[in-house]
Amino acid sequence: MKPRKFISLIFLIIVMTACQKVTQKIDQTTELERKELSKWLNKSENDLKIYYGHPDKVEFLKTRNRNYVYFSEKYKIKCVRKFEIDPKNMVVGFSSKSCF
């Protein structure tokens, strides 16, 4: 094998390993975020507001539920967390995007 091809092969292996590590870290962080937010299911709207403060935005849904949307930023990456509140003022769902 020529030295140039050998170096290219080694470089390719290093890059692929690094990408796999980054993907694993993102997956772990996403799972931690999901576990943290799932603790809010079946909690009251007031408890949510005490912890996160007033929402940055409220979206009203056709189902008579509403989404409380919270924005934050870390390392110039915008995080969006949404909590779905039912008419009884209980948290019934959540989602997050780009949060770690």
Side-chain angles (χ1 to χ4, degrees):
M1 188 182 275
K2 294 182 181 179
R4 188 176 209 139
K5 286 185 178 182
F6 181 73
I7 291 173
S8 296
L9 180 64
I10 296 296
F11 180 74
L12 181 64
I13 291 171
I14 291 171
V15 168
M16 291 181 71
T17 303
C19 289
Q20 185 178 12
K21 294 287 185 186
V22 169
T23 301
Q24 288 173 348
K25 185 67 174 173
I26 289 171
D27 290 344
Q28 288 173 350
T29 305
T30 302
E31 183 61 23
L32 287 174
E33 173 78 1
R34 188 194 63 75
K35 284 182 182 179
E36 180 64 31
L37 296 183
S38 67
K39 293 177 183 178
W40 290 103
L41 292 174
N42 300 316
K43 300 282 182 165
S44 75
E45 165 194 17
N46 287 332
D47 290 341
L48 184 70
K49 284 183 176 180
I50 288 170
Y51 189 80
Y52 282 103
H54 290 285
D56 297 310
K57 183 179 175 183
V58 177
E59 301 172 337
F60 294 93
L61 307 174
K62 292 179 182 179
T63 60
R64 294 183 44 214
N65 290 357
R66 60 198 180 279
N67 280 337
Y68 282 5
V69 183
Y70 294 91
F71 300 105
S72 63
E73 190 173 309
K74 187 175 182 181
Y75 306 118
K76 302 276 183 179
I77 298 171
K78 292 184 181 182
C79 164
V80 179
R81 289 185 179 98
K82 291 183 181 183
F83 294 93
E84 187 173 348
I85 311 296
D86 69 4
K88 296 177 184 177
N89 296 326
M90 300 297 286
V91 177
V92 294
F94 64 87
S95 68
S96 69
K97 181 179 177 186
S98 303
C99 301
F100 56 93

